[in-house]
Amino acid sequence: GAKFVHMVYHFARYVMIEDMKKLSVGTGIPFAEAVMRGPEDMYIAKARHRVAYNKLLQILQREDFVIQEYGKKAQ
């Protein structure tokens, strides 16, 4: 349900940030710290979060649909 999608979204974000931190070590590019910093305009930040959250939800729903269709055709 919605709680699971919310958890997956936050886990994916956490993994992405940790990966960026690991890859940016020694490069002099502080973009990982910029991602962790709070946004100045919360309205834009919330809008971006909603867009990313909805996109993830659409992808998961499409994947579920495809899996169900393969299951129907396999029977």
Side-chain angles (χ1 to χ4, degrees):
K3 288 182 181 181
F4 177 74
V5 171
H6 186 70
M7 182 196 64
V8 169
Y9 170 77
H10 281 285
F11 178 69
R13 184 177 185 274
Y14 170 78
V15 170
M16 178 195 70
I17 290 170
E18 290 301 313
D19 192 44
M20 285 179 9
K21 283 180 184 178
K22 184 173 64 172
L23 294 174
S24 68
V25 171
T27 62
I29 303 171
F31 62 89
E33 288 79 17
V35 170
M36 293 303 292
R37 205 172 329 156
E40 294 177 13
D41 188 358
M42 284 305 292
Y43 176 76
I44 293 175
K46 287 181 181 179
R48 287 180 179 162
H49 177 268
R50 265 192 318 272
V51 168
Y53 183 81
N54 288 336
K55 186 66 176 172
L56 176 64
L57 182 61
Q58 289 173 355
I59 290 169
L60 292 174
Q61 287 173 338
R62 189 177 320 130
E63 181 179 335
D64 182 52
F65 175 76
V66 169
I67 290 171
Q68 288 179 5
E69 288 297 313
Y70 279 132
K72 288 178 186 176
K73 290 180 181 180
Q75 292 177 351

